Amino acid sequence: MEFFYHIGKYLVFLRKVFKRPQKRNIFIQNIFFEIEKLGINSVVIVFIISIFMGAVITLQTAYNIEVSFVPLYLVGLGTRDSMFLEFSSTIVALILAGKVGANIASEIGTMKIREQIEALDMMGVNSESYLVLPKIIASVFTFPLLTLFSMFVGIFGGYLAVYFTNAIPLDDFVYGIHYYFIPFYITYSLIKMAIFAFIIATVPAYQAYFIRGGALEVGKANTKAVVYSSILILFFNVIITQILLS
Amino acid sequence: MIEVRNISKSFGEEQILKNISLTFERGKTNLIIGQSGSGKTVLLKSIVGIHEIDEGEIIFGGQVYSSMDRKEKQKIRQEIGMVFQGGALFDSYTVYENVIFPLRMFSGMSKKEMNKRVDFCLDRVNLQNVNDFYPSEISGGMQKRVAIARAIVLNPKYLFFDEPNSGLDPKTAIVIDNLIKEITVDFNTVTVINTHDMNSVAETGDNIAFIYNGQAWWTGNNKDILESENKELNEFVFATKLMRSIKK
Ligand SMILES: Nc1ncnc2c1ncn2[C@@H]1O[C@H](COP(=O)(O)OP(=O)(O)O)[C@@H](O)[C@H]1O
Ligand SMILES: [Mg+2]
């Protein structure tokens, strides 16, 4: 029952979020501000996890190929497809749910308990739209770019791993990267990420918007935000995969 | 003038406001006093429309605010300035950005006019050279003054203050009280102040309403209040030794 109550409340919330912005220039300014805060500030963490994961996936595949009749270029192909299909969208989204989701929940939660949201409403500002819409647009626009970036960096990480360890010949790895490339995998990943971005921007905002009380409540909203958005990401991952790849 | 007629407000099972009727006059400081938890904040937020009331009417300058639709309410809201208990300044905006914000959203003024207005308002609350500070970088008293500057920037007809003195030392509290009094006369606003600070009551109480048990238990001014025979009011007013010594 409570599940349906929240779905309904979330949809009502979204309807307010999608109200037309009251001042165009302030709205655009806020979008750029959020792009910097949510997107650009996540570049480093995406770089770090992608380069290491690319390296590890490569090495694990390389060391697990022991039988000689398996072609070595499969290492490169495996790294590429793991990154393109799953890692650079779903895993990066889960990391961003932790980082960006928590950031959104604590920002909005703090504004709520310190009456700043009521202050906006009192002035006549549509606070839901003012605060959340720029975050949605910034996330849906920049997170897929982070996915592309992660794909590139992950493969580069695999390349470096092969280069330094000589686990397989470098040429085989590079051949594998190019082998039987399906461009639609990239489209698929970007579509997934755009949907995950929407979840990461709205679910934490929703969790934080209705709290009452003090700092403890902000902390709770924070935790819920990360847990629920992660579960939703995993759930939608299955749904979208079924729709797009079946 | 603001008239509050027979309003009630509950949260779930708990009734916070019970059939309250009050009148707030223009150019005067109208005080709402009562113990912590007595419902002062809920009353204030019900009057301005942050909380929806269950019963009764709220009338701003002859217009029934409580039964207006969103759009009509919006018009009245732009005439209301409100200072929340903690100031409710936006943390990520500087002092200047906080004060100019309502102008940028709603005034349609040119950049130059806006800056002039911001300077005027910050000057009015006696703040200089703090434009580029963030709220966390200035004192509590200064934050309150910035919040007041933001509240008056659109030239409001109605001003609401929720515990303007909370968290301030007595000297700063008096500065803020006096500022509110001056602004009320200067701008000729209907000013409504929540407080549990007896000092402000003595200093600024043109009209006083004492909230007790969710009801408007007693109303009067800052002279009557010391002479009243009302038991609950006396317990509140003369809770401190200092106040008791005044009575003698
Ligand atoms: N949004 C709300 N939902 C439920 N209860 C509330 C809400 N706001 C205030 N209350 C309750 O109303 C009562 C009065 O609170 P409040 O108006 O803040 O008191 P005061 O401002 O006089 O200290 C308290 O018991 C508080 O818990
Ligand atoms: Mg209060």
Side-chain angles (χ1 to χ4, degrees):
Chain A
M1 261 338 276
E2 210 189 347
F3 176 73
F4 291 106
Y5 166 77
H6 277 292
I7 297 268
K9 203 167 153 197
Y10 173 73
L11 292 176
V12 172
F13 176 69
L14 283 188
R15 229 183 66 195
K16 290 185 180 160
V17 166
F18 281 99
K19 272 221 172 105
R20 201 154 157 259
Q22 289 156 296
K23 270 277 173 178
R24 208 187 145 109
N25 55 347
I26 297 183
F27 177 62
I28 290 169
Q29 190 185 326
N30 286 345
I31 290 176
F32 279 106
F33 184 70
E34 297 294 344
I35 285 178
E36 184 187 339
K37 197 168 58 180
L38 307 181
I40 295 177
N41 286 348
S42 302
V43 168
V44 172
I45 187 150
V46 170
F47 178 84
I48 292 173
I49 53 163
S50 302
I51 199 154
F52 281 108
M53 288 305 293
V56 160
I57 293 170
T58 302
L59 292 181
Q60 281 176 355
T61 323
Y63 295 137
N64 279 311
I65 297 181
E66 296 201 329
V67 262
S68 57
F69 58 79
V70 177
L72 288 177
Y73 67 77
L74 278 185
V75 175
L77 185 137
T79 303
R80 183 196 74 201
D81 283 355
S82 313
M83 295 303 295
F84 280 26
L85 282 172
E86 226 21 68
F87 184 85
S88 297
S89 49
T90 312
I91 305 296
V92 169
L94 289 173
I95 301 286
L96 291 176
K99 181 183 181 289
V100 174
N103 176 300
I104 291 175
S106 48
E107 179 192 322
I108 291 189
T110 306
M111 289 190 78
K112 177 68 198 254
I113 61 165
R114 297 179 63 190
E115 299 178 309
Q116 292 168 29
I117 290 182
E118 284 174 1
L120 282 172
D121 286 326
M122 264 320 291
M123 289 174 196
V125 178
N126 299 326
S127 60
E128 294 90 349
S129 159
Y130 182 81
L131 293 174
V132 185
L133 194 53
K135 292 185 197 302
I136 296 178
I137 293 173
S139 308
V140 171
F141 174 70
T142 54
F143 289 5
L145 294 179
L146 288 175
T147 294
L148 283 177
F149 177 66
S150 160
M151 291 171 175
F152 177 79
V153 172
I155 285 170
F156 181 62
Y159 182 89
L160 286 183
V162 172
Y163 181 84
F164 284 115
T165 62
N166 287 316
I168 58 164
L170 203 50
D171 284 347
D172 283 326
F173 181 77
V174 174
Y175 180 73
I177 296 293
H178 291 97
Y179 186 79
Y180 199 66
F181 174 64
I182 303 171
F184 182 69
Y185 284 3
I186 293 184
T187 317
Y188 156 78
S189 244
L190 296 182
I191 292 173
K192 279 209 299 193
M193 191 51 146
I195 292 168
F196 297 158
F198 187 83
I199 293 171
I200 293 170
T202 55
V203 172
Y206 169 77
Q207 286 298 337
Y209 225 89
F210 299 99
I211 59 169
R212 208 169 75 78
L216 200 63
E217 257 54 48
V218 179
K220 280 187 203 158
N222 227 319
T223 311
K224 276 192 198 166
V226 175
V227 172
Y228 292 153
S229 30
S230 301
I231 293 171
L232 283 170
I233 286 167
L234 294 171
F235 175 74
F236 275 95
N237 189 29
V238 177
I239 304 280
I240 303 161
T241 302
Q242 176 61 26
I243 293 172
L244 292 182
L245 294 189
S246 65
Chain B
M1 202 163 78
I2 302 171
E3 288 165 78
V4 171
R5 287 196 193 144
N6 306 99
I7 66 165
S8 298
K9 172 73 190 168
S10 302
F11 290 112
E13 296 285 282
E14 195 187 0
Q15 191 172 15
I16 311 288
L17 307 178
K18 298 172 191 157
N19 199 27
I20 291 185
S21 298
L22 293 168
T23 303
F24 305 116
E25 290 177 278
R26 184 164 294 283
K28 297 246 169 95
T29 48
N30 303 273
L31 262 51
I32 297 170
I33 63 171
Q35 245 178 306
S36 282
S38 58
K40 299 185 296 296
T41 300
V42 172
L43 175 57
L44 209 65
K45 290 184 179 174
S46 300
I47 295 170
V48 299
I50 292 173
H51 295 319
E52 239 171 88
I53 52 174
D54 304 330
E55 275 167 69
E57 278 182 334
I58 293 152
I59 301 160
F60 278 77
Q63 295 168 280
V64 186
Y65 177 65
S66 48
S67 59
M68 289 178 177
D69 65 26
R70 223 187 125 92
K71 232 179 165 174
E72 289 173 312
K73 268 191 180 153
Q74 187 83 356
K75 258 176 135 174
I76 303 275
R77 281 191 176 196
Q78 315 240 305
E79 299 178 339
I80 298 177
M82 178 140 177
V83 176
F84 289 84
Q85 183 161 0
L89 298 174
F90 306 125
D91 299 310
S92 57
Y93 293 178
T94 61
V95 165
Y96 167 81
E97 288 166 342
N98 264 285
V99 179
I100 204 170
F101 180 77
L103 293 175
R104 290 188 67 197
M105 286 303 288
F106 300 109
S107 73
M109 286 181 182
S110 72
K111 183 98 190 168
K112 214 171 134 196
E113 289 170 311
M114 285 197 271
N115 282 331
K116 222 175 119 196
R117 181 72 191 161
V118 170
D119 287 343
F120 169 81
C121 290
L122 283 171
D123 205 50
R124 187 66 199 78
V125 298
N126 305 314
L127 279 176
Q128 280 91 27
N129 306 321
V130 291
N131 281 18
D132 297 329
F133 286 101
Y134 285 91
S136 59
E137 298 170 334
I138 56 176
S139 70
M142 286 163 117
Q143 289 178 13
K144 283 278 158 65
R145 283 191 270 171
V146 176
I148 295 173
R150 185 177 70 180
I152 59 174
V153 79
L154 284 173
N155 222 337
K157 290 186 180 161
Y158 311 96
L159 271 174
F160 291 83
F161 296 85
D162 194 2
E163 311 245 4
N165 292 331
S166 70
L168 302 182
D169 62 87
K171 218 172 145 189
T172 311
I174 289 170
V175 171
I176 298 289
D177 280 344
N178 287 334
L179 185 59
I180 294 172
K181 234 164 58 176
E182 288 165 24
I183 286 174
T184 302
V185 175
D186 275 15
F187 286 63
N188 194 28
T189 53
V190 181
T191 301
V192 182
I193 307 165
N194 268 356
T195 186
H196 60 238
D197 179 4
M198 278 316 298
N199 213 350
S200 332
V201 174
E203 291 283 333
T204 57
D206 293 335
N207 291 326
I208 303 173
F210 172 59
I211 305 297
Y212 181 82
N213 192 25
Q215 292 162 285
W217 201 255
W218 179 91
T219 53
N221 62 34
N222 57 358
K223 308 227 163 37
D224 312 337
I225 199 168
L226 298 174
E227 286 146 26
S228 161
E229 301 287 316
N230 189 300
K231 180 169 160 283
E232 289 77 15
L233 179 66
N234 276 331
E235 276 169 13
F236 175 78
V237 172
F238 300 106
T240 61
K241 250 190 194 152
L242 183 65
M243 286 306 293
R244 280 197 296 276
S245 71
I246 288 171
K247 191 164 192 183
K248 286 173 204 158

